[in-house]
Amino acid sequence: MGWVETIMKTAGWRILGTPDTLFIVYIFSREVSLAGSAAITEIIDKMLIYYFHERVWIIITESKRNNAYYLTMTLLVNSLLN
């Protein structure tokens, strides 16, 4: 997955998550301005956190996939040579 897909996934998640935050903060505080401020702050904050989390997850996943491939190939070659 490239960075464009990660950005699209991040934005999609925020479209779902921000109204939820707005609703929860409003339920607890009964203040529209506080709920709105929390939701606006969260948009930027959570998008950055989610984006970098996804990129690190992709790096880890690809690294594990590559290591498994090389291990499999090494075992295959060794079994053919012995």
Side-chain angles (χ1 to χ4, degrees):
M1 180 184 325
W3 64 270
V4 173
E5 290 86 0
T6 303
I7 289 174
M8 297 302 291
K9 190 175 177 184
T10 302
W13 179 244
R14 278 298 85 215
I15 289 169
L16 295 173
T18 300
D20 180 56
T21 299
L22 183 70
F23 179 71
I24 291 171
V25 174
Y26 178 74
I27 292 296
F28 283 105
S29 70
R30 296 288 186 212
E31 293 183 32
V32 174
S33 63
L34 180 62
S37 296
I40 288 169
T41 302
E42 184 201 47
I43 289 171
I44 296 165
D45 178 50
K46 295 283 176 72
M47 283 182 79
L48 289 172
I49 291 169
Y50 186 86
Y51 176 82
F52 287 111
H53 169 265
E54 277 295 307
R55 298 310 299 168
V56 168
W57 189 261
I58 289 166
I59 290 167
I60 291 169
T61 304
E62 287 177 0
S63 174
K64 285 183 178 180
R65 188 178 307 130
N66 289 340
N67 287 341
Y69 171 77
Y70 290 121
L71 178 61
T72 303
M73 293 308 290
T74 302
L75 291 173
L76 179 63
V77 169
N78 284 340
S79 68
L80 291 173
L81 293 176
N82 292 328

